Amino acid sequence: MEVFDKIDSIAASIEKYSISSAAELEAFRIQFLGSKNEIKDVFGEIKSVPNEQKKEFGQRVNALKSAAEEKFAKAQEQMQSLLNKASFGDLDLSAPASDLQLGSRHPISIVMNRMIDIFARIGFVVAEEREIEDDWHNFTAMNTPEDHPARDMQDTFYLKDSTINLLRTHTSSVQSRVMTSQQPPIRIIAPGRVYRNETISARSHCQFHQVEGLYIDKKVSFADMKQTLLYFAREMYGEKTEIRLRPSFFPFTEPSAEMDVWLGMETESARRLTKGTGWLEVLGCGMVDPQVLTNCGIDANEYSGYAFGIGIERSAMQMFNINDIRLIFENDVRFLRQFSSLI
Ligand code: PHE
């Protein structure tokens, strides 16, 4: 039968058809699957097929159609992946994406942010200043005499070939910066990094962090300071926290004190951090010395104030059970990742 030969020849040409471009793909579609295609044409000849062969004829034409559709789909898929490769090089856009590694906050930042938050709730605003300071703002304005040991090269990092520029030894330098540039009422909190020429060990480092506080207004008293610091200690270390103020000395405050919080002696880390006393030394504080106000251009007869400087490292070490201060500055990701869930 002639029509069966036709079917065979179409089947052969479908099989042999080489499709390697978009144009060839389209030509194939028109020839075998378009609205007027060869398979339809051959099907039209069913009239000439004897009845007993009509069934076989129908099946073979259908098979032809399936073969054409299959070849088309395969070629189209190949073409698509070729296109992808052509525009994206070796990039496999269908590859599963690798997990995004979320960063984590540094334990020092976690603690500093908490402190800032606590003071922000009672109206303190953040003041940030330079780490490279001059001798006047770091020492002179802060009432530190010329022959004070802190000014010594042994204790302070001076910039090369300079006896004036240094790395600030405390955030108290922000006090003089703020007081010389604005008038009271002043209520600031100044977080930041400070530097001292100290031997690096598990307990001390030549760089560390402080959060400075300064409050100046009319009739500010020592009682105001104590209440504010008690509020801070309870927000920071728990509502049952007890504090103690020990008389101390700083050139820029008078009277001066150091504040400890009670950690107890129950845990090994509490004993270690408190050197077996149960009390953790948290901050230095005092009433701003009138001479400092005068140095910075604020009328000491009209205004008074208090200041405090909180050390961050020891609190962070206590909170996160860090047993070596050097870990804080090494930035080893295996260390840093441990704090990702604590933000
Ligand atoms: N600057 C002091 C220090 O670094 C801390 C301090 C700040 C003390 C403010 C009193 C008032 O030790």
Side-chain angles (χ1 to χ4, degrees):
M1 251 320 277
E2 222 180 288
V3 280
F4 283 100
D5 292 343
K6 256 194 197 159
I7 290 177
D8 286 341
S9 106
I10 294 174
S13 59
I14 288 176
E15 195 173 77
K16 275 194 301 210
Y17 207 109
S18 109
I19 307 174
S20 53
S21 70
E24 281 168 358
L25 182 69
E26 180 60 4
F28 179 88
R29 189 191 66 78
I30 292 167
Q31 191 174 341
F32 300 106
L33 301 163
S35 53
K36 278 193 211 153
N37 65 61
E38 280 185 24
I39 300 171
K40 268 190 193 167
D41 288 348
V42 79
F43 189 70
E45 293 184 31
I46 192 159
K47 299 179 274 322
S48 63
V49 176
N51 276 346
E52 65 276 14
Q53 288 187 325
K54 276 196 165 67
K55 188 176 171 203
E56 188 196 346
F57 176 80
Q59 283 170 345
R60 291 197 46 194
V61 174
N62 275 338
L64 209 54
K65 207 177 149 203
S66 306
E69 282 169 350
E70 220 171 87
K71 178 150 181 155
F72 178 79
K74 238 192 204 152
Q76 193 178 36
E77 196 180 298
Q78 272 172 4
M79 196 75 58
Q80 195 56 49
S81 82
L82 239 101
L83 270 175
N84 289 344
K85 287 219 179 84
S87 31
F88 298 105
D90 279 343
L91 210 62
D92 178 0
L93 293 183
S94 64
S98 54
D99 279 352
L100 260 188
Q101 283 267 347
L102 266 192
S104 55
R105 258 193 230 294
H106 194 283
I108 292 295
S109 302
I110 297 174
V111 172
M112 280 210 299
N113 286 346
R114 255 180 82 177
M115 292 180 176
I116 291 169
D117 216 53
I118 290 169
F119 284 104
R121 290 207 286 275
I122 52 170
F124 283 78
V125 292
V126 172
E128 277 182 309
E129 267 300 339
R130 61 211 77 187
E131 291 178 16
I132 297 177
E133 252 309 347
D134 56 46
D135 170 85
W136 192 84
H137 288 91
N138 194 79
F139 292 129
T140 311
M142 300 313 288
N143 216 22
T144 308
E146 291 286 345
D147 58 354
H148 195 282
R151 296 179 94 129
D152 202 275
M153 300 278 281
Q154 302 302 315
D155 294 311
T156 299
F157 290 117
Y158 286 86
L159 265 62
K160 207 163 175 247
D161 302 327
S162 174
T163 50
I164 294 170
N165 292 321
L166 46 82
L167 296 180
R168 67 181 180 192
T169 59
H170 52 183
T171 43
S172 299
S173 60
V174 184
Q175 286 192 41
S176 54
R177 284 274 167 200
V178 170
M179 284 190 279
T180 47
S181 63
Q182 66 192 71
Q183 283 294 310
I186 293 171
R187 193 159 33 178
I188 56 119
I189 196 90
R193 196 184 288 247
V194 302
Y195 305 84
R196 286 182 204 171
N197 194 356
E198 274 176 41
T199 315
I200 298 172
S201 72
R203 297 185 59 93
S204 70
H205 209 285
C206 60
Q207 53 176 330
F208 50 99
H209 297 79
Q210 294 183 328
V211 170
E212 190 87 4
L214 176 68
Y215 183 36
I216 300 175
D217 207 340
K218 290 176 179 157
K219 299 198 175 86
V220 177
S221 72
F222 195 92
D224 294 333
M225 179 181 81
K226 189 174 171 190
Q227 198 56 36
T228 304
L229 293 178
L230 178 63
Y231 154 80
F232 160 71
R234 296 204 160 151
E235 292 291 308
M236 190 72 199
Y237 303 96
E239 53 184 338
K240 295 213 174 68
T241 301
E242 293 300 333
I243 62 165
R244 101 182 158 183
L245 288 174
R246 281 179 292 108
S248 185
F249 175 81
F250 299 101
F252 33 89
T253 46
E254 180 59 34
S256 304
E258 272 170 286
M259 186 179 96
D260 304 334
V261 297
W262 177 249
L263 291 189
M265 313 254 261
E266 260 123 68
T267 66
E268 158 67 24
S269 80
R271 282 194 297 276
R272 184 165 32 79
L273 274 159
T274 65
K275 297 180 199 150
T277 64
W279 291 98
L280 180 69
E281 192 185 310
V282 172
L283 57 85
C285 60
M287 302 307 291
V288 179
D289 193 306
Q291 186 61 50
V292 173
L293 296 175
T294 308
N295 292 347
C296 297
I298 290 174
D299 186 348
N301 292 319
E302 197 177 347
Y303 294 105
S304 59
Y306 61 78
F308 53 86
I310 314 171
I312 311 302
E313 269 71 8
R314 253 178 285 165
S315 284
M317 290 170 78
Q318 179 253 328
M319 272 175 194
F320 302 131
N321 236 326
I322 300 167
N323 59 15
D324 189 324
I325 194 172
R326 288 170 291 200
L327 289 167
I328 288 176
F329 299 99
E330 276 165 9
N331 284 337
D332 185 327
V333 287
R334 291 167 300 180
F335 170 76
L336 296 176
R337 275 200 197 118
Q338 298 175 45
F339 307 96
S340 55
S341 58
L342 303 164
I343 298 172

